[in-house]
């Protein structure tokens, strides 16, 4: 048996247990910082698999860490298990049907993400023990990736100190090494306070906080012309002051999400949005309180790590889907638009294919396609240690993220095959690093060189704490 086949066999040995974990987490979808049951499931699995467990990592009750091995390099495998609000969906069907009205759902596949990461870590634990290789593997169960920036808080707290390299993955419709592009992002709340009054009898006595929020929107819309073209600014009204139009609204609150390809650009735009809010308060005679809710950096790539992961993928090949998998994926594709179906190909510079419901091949490294990117707190870990992220096919080509279709496919056999495939890729990548310390040193040297050019600045102010959710009484 070749070395890579040995580590893959160890993944396969534990796959049924971790697939079971994935399905259980799918069935208990919990949103940012409320992942108490999901975290408990991961914690129990870590103990069952023989890891040394640390709970409440960085003071976050729903973050957990498990470590195995002795001496040598320390490689981290990152997992997640948070869900999204409003994406409850029955599994295994090709039409929208809520499982729980208004409930949460795993519309980004994080039930798979955390389980496959723990699967890779478990296989590596076995491999270290079986081969007598000096080294440690550490699994991080990370909450609140969807808007809560838990990993950024964890980096700030020093939770990744001593880690030599980090590996993670994300469910996708294609299998490839992630191109390490993400947008730095700050989510910031602006709370305006004014003075209530009768809107008809004494409007001159009122000072409208709602007017201030609307003027902020106007100002930001004019600002959009004068920011870098990769910047994105979104907003959501959190409080509108009430529902009575005959009352001058004394309080209103809006949350802005401010993104840019470079952290420095994003931080500069944040200051300009704050100035717009100050101006709106001045114009309306109100006051404004500004508070960062969460923030993440842009991803820092590492060419050495990416090439190691690509070699692992090339050895492994694509996910082996079967006819049943393809039939269900084709039915999901029938619910999608032409733009949905072609976008994944454009992203990797490929000609769209009409008869390909699932990706059963590996895309080459650094595909030259259209860049459409979001934000992730994985990025802050990439500034702390050399990091690589792999994408693995778990759902029909063209399925948009954060959709009912992703939730529906989250327990399908194709998803299970994709998560096991991701675990094999991560485990093989880590094995290569454990066996060749020269590669690890090269990755660390590249990382240090990047930091020397642009030192890391945590995008979350020191006085901002994670927006923790208390454990429910039941």
């Amino acid at each position: 048996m070749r070395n890579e086949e040995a580590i893959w066999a160890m993944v396969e040995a534990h796959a049924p247990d971790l697939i079971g974990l994935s399905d259980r987490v799918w069935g208990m979808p919990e949103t940012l910082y409320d992942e108490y049951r999901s975290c408990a499931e991961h914690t129990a699995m870590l103990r069952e698999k023989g890891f040394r467990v640390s709970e409440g990592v960085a003071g976050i009750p729903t973050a957990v860490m498990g470590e195995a091995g002795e001496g040598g390099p320390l490689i981290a495998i990152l997992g997640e298990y948070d869900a999204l609000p409003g994406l409850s969906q029955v599994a295994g069907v090709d039409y929208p049907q809520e499982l729980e009205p208004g409930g949460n759902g795993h519309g980004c596949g994080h039930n798979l993400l955390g389980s496959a990461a723990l699967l890779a870590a478990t296989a590596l634990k076995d491999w270290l023990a079986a081969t007598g290789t000096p080294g440690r593997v550490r699994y991080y169960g990370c909450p609140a990736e969807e808007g809560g920036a838990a990993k950024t808080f964890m980096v700030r707290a020093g939770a990744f100190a001593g880690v030599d390299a980090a590996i993670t993955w994300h469910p996708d419709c294609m299998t490839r090494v992630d191109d390490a592009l993400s947008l730095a992002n700050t989510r910031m709340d602006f709370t305006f306070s004014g003075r209530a009054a009768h809107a008809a009898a004494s409007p001159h006595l009122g000072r409208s906080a709602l007017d201030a929020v609307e003027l902020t929107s106007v100002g930001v819309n004019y600002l959009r012309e004068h920011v870098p073209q990769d910047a994105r600014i979104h907003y959501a009204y959190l409080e509108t002051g009430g529902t009575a139009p005959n009352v001058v609204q004394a309080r209103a609150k809006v949350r802005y999400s401010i993104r840019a390809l470079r952290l420095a650009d994003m931080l500069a735009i944040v200051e300009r949005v704050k100035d717009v809010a100050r101006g709106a308060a001045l114009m309306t005679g109100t006051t404004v309180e500004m508070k960062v809710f969460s923030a993440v950096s842009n991803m820092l790539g590492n060419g050495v790590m990416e090439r190691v992961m690509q070699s692992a993928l090339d050895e492994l090949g694509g996910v082996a889907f079967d006819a049943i998998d393809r039939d269900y994926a084709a039915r999901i594709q029938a619910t999608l638009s032409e733009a949905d179906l072609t976008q994944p190909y454009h992203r990797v510079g490929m000609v769209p294919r009409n008869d390909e419901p699932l990706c059963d091949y590996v895309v080459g490294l650094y595909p030259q396609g259209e860049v459409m990117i979001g934000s992730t707190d994985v990025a802050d870990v990439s500034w702390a240690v050399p990091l690589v992220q792999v994408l693995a096919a778990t759902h029909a080509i063209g399925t948009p993220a954060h959709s009912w279709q992703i939730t529906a496919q989250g327990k399908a056999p194709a998803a299970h095959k994709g998560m096991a495939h991701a675990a094999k890729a991560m485990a093989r990548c880590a094995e290569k690093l454990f066996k060749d310390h020269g590669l690890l040193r090269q990755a660390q040297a590249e990382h240090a060189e990047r930091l020397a050019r642009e030192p890391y600045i945590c995008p979350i102010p020191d006085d901002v704490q994670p927006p923790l959710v208390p454990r429910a009484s039941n």
Side-chain angles (χ1 to χ4, degrees):
M1 180 180 292
R2 297 181 302 170
N3 288 333
E4 62 269 21
E5 292 173 345
I7 194 75
W8 298 340
M10 291 170 180
V11 169
E12 290 170 359
H14 294 282
D17 290 344
L18 276 299
I19 287 171
L21 173 65
S22 175
D23 287 355
R24 290 195 299 278
V25 171
W26 185 96
M28 53 180 71
E30 299 165 301
T31 56
L32 71 172
Y33 295 110
D34 195 28
E35 312 93 336
Y36 287 98
R37 291 182 297 162
S38 301
C39 181
E41 288 283 347
H42 278 249
T43 303
M45 185 61 71
L46 283 167
R47 289 203 166 98
E48 180 182 326
K49 296 300 181 183
F51 285 85
R52 303 183 292 272
V53 176
S54 299
E55 299 183 68
V57 178
I60 300 173
T62 54
V64 65
M65 186 173 72
E67 185 175 306
E70 300 292 340
L74 172 57
I75 295 180
I77 311 291
L78 311 183
E80 299 164 11
Y81 32 70
D82 58 322
L84 287 157
L87 284 176
S88 178
Q89 168 64 35
V90 173
V93 300
D94 56 4
Y95 49 85
Q97 181 181 348
E98 286 185 310
L99 189 62
E100 176 186 347
N104 306 327
H106 274 284
C108 206
H110 290 185
N111 60 301
L112 300 163
L113 199 168
S115 301
L118 207 164
L119 176 54
T122 302
L124 283 165
K125 170 185 172 293
D126 287 357
W127 179 82
L128 289 169
T131 60
T133 302
R136 291 166 291 155
V137 59
R138 182 182 289 172
Y139 170 76
Y140 286 86
C142 306
E145 189 277 335
E146 299 288 1
K151 294 185 197 68
T152 311
F153 287 107
M154 292 165 72
V155 168
R156 193 182 70 179
F160 296 93
V163 172
D164 292 294
I167 300 171
T168 191
W169 82 291
H170 202 284
D172 200 80
C173 64
M174 290 191 170
T175 299
R176 63 188 182 96
V177 177
D178 185 52
D179 46 17
L181 285 173
S182 71
L183 296 172
N185 180 14
T186 287
R187 295 191 181 203
M188 190 167 194
D189 295 344
F190 297 85
T191 304
F192 292 89
S193 299
R195 184 187 308 147
H198 193 295
S202 54
H204 58 291
L205 299 180
R207 299 293 181 267
S208 174
L210 187 57
D211 285 353
V213 167
E214 294 195 51
L215 283 168
T216 300
S217 295
V218 171
V220 169
N221 283 337
Y222 279 103
L223 177 63
R224 295 178 196 277
E225 183 182 356
H226 306 287
V227 297
Q229 63 181 1
D230 55 64
R232 303 283 188 272
I233 309 175
H234 333 280
Y235 65 97
Y237 283 50
L238 302 186
E239 298 177 28
T240 57
T243 58
N246 61 336
V247 175
V248 174
Q249 309 295 358
R251 178 182 168 89
K253 185 176 183 179
V254 63
R255 176 170 295 169
Y256 270 86
S257 178
I258 303 158
R259 311 185 199 231
L261 193 56
R262 293 181 62 253
L263 177 61
D265 290 339
M266 184 271 288
L267 293 174
I269 297 169
V270 167
E271 294 304 315
R272 296 175 72 184
V273 172
K274 289 163 68 174
D275 283 342
V276 169
R278 292 186 186 102
L282 184 63
M283 285 188 285
T284 54
T286 61
T287 60
V288 60
E289 177 188 1
M290 298 175 278
K291 184 176 181 181
V292 171
F293 177 80
S294 67
V296 301
S297 302
N298 56 292
M299 190 80 83
L300 192 67
N302 190 281
V304 175
M305 296 280 287
E306 289 153 10
R307 289 189 292 274
V308 174
M309 180 61 80
Q310 185 68 43
S311 69
L313 279 181
D314 290 340
E315 293 169 358
L316 184 60
V319 184
F321 297 114
D322 60 26
I324 296 174
D325 298 329
R326 291 185 177 88
D327 176 72
Y328 180 44
R331 289 188 283 120
I332 289 290
Q333 284 188 323
T335 71
L336 306 176
S337 69
E338 185 67 20
D340 290 329
L341 295 171
T342 57
Q343 184 183 23
Y345 295 101
H346 295 321
R347 287 187 64 185
V348 297
M350 291 175 58
V351 176
R353 304 175 185 178
N354 297 323
D355 58 347
E356 188 175 66
L358 289 164
C359 172
D360 58 3
Y361 50 85
V362 175
V363 177
L365 190 60
Y366 307 135
Q368 299 299 310
E370 296 179 2
V371 177
M372 295 294 292
I373 49 179
S375 304
T376 175
D377 60 3
V378 172
D380 287 272
V381 183
S382 76
W383 288 80
V385 299
L387 178 140
V388 65
Q389 178 167 260
V390 66
L391 308 177
T394 60
H395 50 258
I397 293 175
T399 310
H402 297 192
S403 65
W404 68 262
Q405 290 96 333
I406 290 284
T407 312
Q409 296 173 83
K411 293 172 64 179
H416 296 157
K417 291 169 185 171
M419 67 163 271
H421 207 77
K424 289 181 179 180
M426 290 186 287
R428 177 63 175 142
C429 179
E431 179 193 6
K432 288 173 178 282
L433 296 172
F434 277 126
K435 292 171 67 176
D436 188 343
H437 293 182
L439 284 175
L440 199 53
R441 287 192 293 271
Q442 291 172 32
Q444 292 168 337
E446 179 182 340
H447 186 259
E449 183 180 345
R450 295 286 297 273
L451 287 180
R453 293 199 302 267
E454 187 176 0
Y456 175 66
I457 301 172
C458 182
I460 300 179
D462 291 342
D463 62 341
V464 174
Q465 299 303 313
L468 302 179
V469 175
R471 188 190 299 267
S473 58
N474 60 351

